[in-house]
Amino acid sequence: MSDKFDVIFIGAGPAGYVGAIRAAQLGLKTACVDAFTGKDGKQALGGTCLNVGCIPSKALLDSSRQYWNIAHNLPVHGISVEGAKVDMATFIGRKDKIVKQFTGGIGQLFKANKVTPYFGTGKLLKGNEVEITAPDGGKQTISATNVILASGSVPIELPFAKFDGKMIVDNAGALDFAEVPKRLGVIGAGVIGLELGSVWKRMGAEVTILEALPDFLSVADADVAKVAKKEFEKQGLAIKLGAKLTKAEVKKNEVHLTYEDKDGAHELVVDKLLVAVGRRAYTAGLLADDTGVKLDERGRIVVDEHCHTGVDGVWAIGDAVRGPMLAHKGSEEGVAVAEWIAGKAGHVNFDTIPWVIYTEPEIAWAGKTEKQLKDEGVPYRVGTFPFAAIGRAVAMNEAVGQVKMLAHAETDRILGVHMVGPGVSELIAECVVAMEFKGSSEDLARIVHAHPTLSEAVHEAALSVDKRAIHKGN
Ligand code: FAD
Ligand code: AMP
């Protein structure tokens, strides 16, 4: 007899585990199947994000920032530290401990909410049955009225630079180097390449980032990208644009790279290579042949605006479907699907999903870029404010970057906010709230912001839309 549930989630990343908890809260009998194995060989819930993504990268970004500050920030404050050393076992061990704390925490949350976890690979069969293959090969079948596919994504591999886990690595490998590589090559100047490149640069590696596109961070607003590039280069990150990797050969303890740019072919020798050229939806072994669930040309599970696959009772969420590959986007889809199944009004507003890059300076944005508004012919006004004129940022010695606000020229509705600077990963939340409430720049301009705080940059940028910023010329 197979176990029968109201809902089965396949995948316990931020899309699946959050959705499962919400489903259980709503009184649905819920199971969650996940195959991820932790460093200790046991089941590790939380998917890419908790195990080899968001959380461990932020742990290493923070540790490396502390180390970098000793030589690059503390002297400005009149503090000098002699003989600072890094213990790599502690550096990596701290990250592993944080990962374990959070992956274990999901187990506790499942228990508290009565979500039944299964350890193994889930395959959707026709009729909303799920066959689970345990790590030891044992099989069992469970079934549900609704099955939610939340199988996430995996790194894209370049055929001429295949991952070997040692010299040519993906994100998981670059979060686990036993030593600081002397020379690190990074392919792809996207979010992951920039964050992990920053970690190892701060720890003392010579980091060269090769990016095939001619523009830096073209997904972000051009003004933000310009400031960020300048600051990263000041920190010593070598960023080569229009540089396409064409070959990577491991020779003894080195990786020999060939890349092509407008001047022809070049060679570069590094000690480790991180390939961070994007991620693709992961659906290997997920679907029996006759389920009727479709994949698009990029291998993503096809869904409608309600995350429904078109097959009765089968839904899909997170990195495995269209939309930005961000943890919070998947989580909100998980919650929305649980609510739709329970007969409630679920909702995900794709227009206000915040993006954050946790480099130094941080980068954050929500809504449209200036280029998008131009291309769409939307009339807009721009307000900007530099952190150089924010007392708190200067006091912190982090007075770099700016807040840029785009508002509709006629209605003043906020259409986009783009930030680069200190603490902007947190500042963006205020703007997302304003945008979600269909707020105007005037709304933010009229709200009292504490002094002295970094949030005054948001206030002043809002004032600047109407050319009435106080602490700069308009
Ligand atoms: P995943 O987290 O990939 O989880 C899917 C889970 O399903 C995995 O555990 C997988 O093993 C399991 N699975 C797959 N197929 C099956 C199957 N058939 N049976 C059983 N289990 C299966 N996003 C942010 O928002 N903020 C960040 O700061 C951030 N930093 C990142 C840093 C790095 C280095 C990386 C790689 C990613 C980062 N991301 C970040 C992206 C984020 O990790 C993903 O968007 C998020 O994890 C997607 O969630 P998901 O639940 O859809 O999939
Ligand atoms: P993201 O998708 O944000 O993780 O970014 C990945 C980046 O890798 C993109 O900006 C791509 O242009 C870049 N990229 C893809 N293939 C190559 C390649 N062969 N050489 C250099 N950069 C690449």
Side-chain angles (χ1 to χ4, degrees):
M1 262 292 281
S2 79
D3 284 326
K4 171 95 190 169
F5 292 89
D6 294 320
V7 196
I8 299 169
F9 285 82
I10 302 183
Y17 90 75
V18 171
I21 290 172
R22 183 66 189 127
Q25 282 176 352
L26 290 164
L28 299 167
K29 188 180 174 201
T30 305
C32 187
V33 184
D34 195 279
F36 205 101
T37 306
K39 275 188 168 180
D40 58 4
K42 296 191 181 134
Q43 181 172 32
L45 300 167
T48 302
C49 178
L50 270 70
N51 285 288
V52 289
C54 327
I55 298 298
S57 61
K58 266 78 260 177
L60 293 191
L61 277 161
D62 200 71
S63 294
S64 61
R65 184 168 186 245
Q66 310 274 4
Y67 182 60
W68 174 265
N69 279 347
I70 292 172
H72 296 89
N73 196 8
L74 295 190
V76 181
H77 296 266
I79 302 164
S80 57
V81 178
E82 302 287 316
K85 278 195 294 242
V86 177
D87 177 56
M88 283 302 286
T90 308
F91 178 77
I92 296 293
R94 188 189 86 98
K95 178 262 303 177
D96 289 342
K97 220 165 129 192
I98 292 167
V99 167
K100 204 155 174 38
Q101 177 188 337
F102 280 84
T103 55
I106 297 175
Q108 299 298 322
L109 288 170
F110 275 4
K111 220 176 251 167
N113 287 283
K114 301 194 172 57
V115 174
T116 308
Y118 286 88
F119 187 16
T121 302
K123 181 190 231 174
L124 177 71
L125 309 178
K126 202 173 174 186
N128 297 356
E129 294 206 316
V130 175
E131 178 191 79
I132 303 169
T133 307
D136 65 5
K139 288 190 194 295
Q140 65 176 311
T141 302
I142 60 176
S143 66
T145 315
N146 289 281
V147 178
I148 294 103
L149 309 170
S151 51
S153 63
V154 287
I156 292 175
E157 191 169 57
L158 295 172
F160 45 85
K162 286 199 179 287
F163 300 124
D164 62 16
K166 200 171 155 250
M167 306 291 287
I168 303 180
V169 299
D170 61 7
N171 53 295
L175 288 163
D176 252 348
F177 288 144
E179 304 287 338
V180 178
K182 192 168 170 316
R183 297 161 299 179
L184 173 67
V186 178
I187 310 304
V191 179
I192 294 169
L194 289 171
E195 288 189 0
L196 296 179
S198 292
V199 164
W200 295 108
K201 172 69 218 168
R202 294 170 188 173
M203 299 306 290
E206 273 169 41
V207 178
T208 306
I209 304 182
L210 304 181
E211 167 55 56
L213 295 176
D215 294 324
F216 180 66
L217 212 56
S218 51
V219 60
D221 192 87
D223 289 339
V224 163
K226 197 169 148 198
V227 173
K229 180 161 182 284
K230 195 168 140 212
E231 290 303 317
F232 297 156
E233 285 176 339
K234 260 199 227 161
Q235 290 160 19
L237 283 173
I239 301 169
K240 296 187 189 297
L241 298 178
K244 194 170 180 342
L245 182 77
T246 53
K247 194 166 148 196
E249 265 185 306
V250 176
K251 291 185 187 166
K252 289 196 185 140
N253 289 330
E254 293 177 330
V255 191
H256 291 240
L257 311 181
T258 308
Y259 66 93
E260 282 168 16
D261 64 14
K262 59 179 179 7
D263 301 321
H266 307 265
E267 307 282 319
L268 178 71
V269 180
V270 295
D271 302 298
K272 300 272 181 195
L273 180 68
L274 163 61
V275 178
V277 295
R279 298 179 63 82
R280 62 175 173 82
Y282 180 69
T283 56
L286 178 70
L287 304 166
D289 292 340
D290 56 355
T291 60
V293 174
K294 291 193 180 64
L295 304 183
D296 69 14
E297 70 294 345
R298 289 168 60 184
R300 300 175 300 191
I301 301 168
V302 175
V303 287
D304 64 15
E305 70 277 21
H306 290 106
C307 298
H308 196 258
T309 63
V311 175
D312 237 13
V314 182
W315 313 69
I317 56 177
D319 279 12
V321 304
R322 47 73 194 121
M325 286 183 163
L326 293 168
H328 40 285
K329 173 264 191 186
S331 297
E332 291 307 319
E333 286 180 331
V335 168
V337 168
E339 297 195 345
W340 287 318
I341 290 172
K344 294 186 173 293
H347 169 75
V348 182
N349 184 356
F350 278 86
D351 294 336
T352 56
I353 293 175
W355 286 74
V356 177
I357 308 178
Y358 298 81
T359 44
E360 178 134 345
E362 291 183 341
I363 298 166
W365 73 90
K368 305 266 184 179
T369 62
E370 192 166 356
K371 181 171 184 309
Q372 283 171 327
L373 293 179
K374 266 193 194 133
D375 291 349
E376 291 168 17
V378 178
Y380 63 91
R381 293 193 297 169
V382 187
T384 59
F385 198 81
F387 281 103
I390 292 293
R392 184 75 190 283
V394 175
M396 290 161 64
N397 192 39
E398 291 183 40
V400 161
Q402 65 163 4
V403 173
K404 170 173 170 180
M405 194 171 290
L406 302 163
H408 196 283
E410 286 137 27
T411 65
D412 192 36
R413 183 167 166 183
I414 302 167
L415 302 173
V417 186
H418 303 272
M419 308 176 172
V420 53
V424 299
S425 56
E426 303 292 341
L427 296 186
I428 195 67
E430 170 183 9
C431 301
V432 172
V433 171
M435 290 167 74
E436 189 64 44
F437 290 171
K438 300 187 171 37
S440 61
S441 78
E442 181 70 19
D443 288 328
L444 283 183
R446 283 173 182 269
I447 289 171
V448 183
H449 288 71
H451 176 73
T453 62
L454 299 174
S455 72
E456 288 173 292
V458 175
H459 188 217
E460 289 271 14
L463 287 162
S464 155
V465 170
D466 195 38
K467 303 214 175 315
R468 49 185 233 263
I470 300 296
H471 294 91
K472 70 162 200 174
N474 288 286

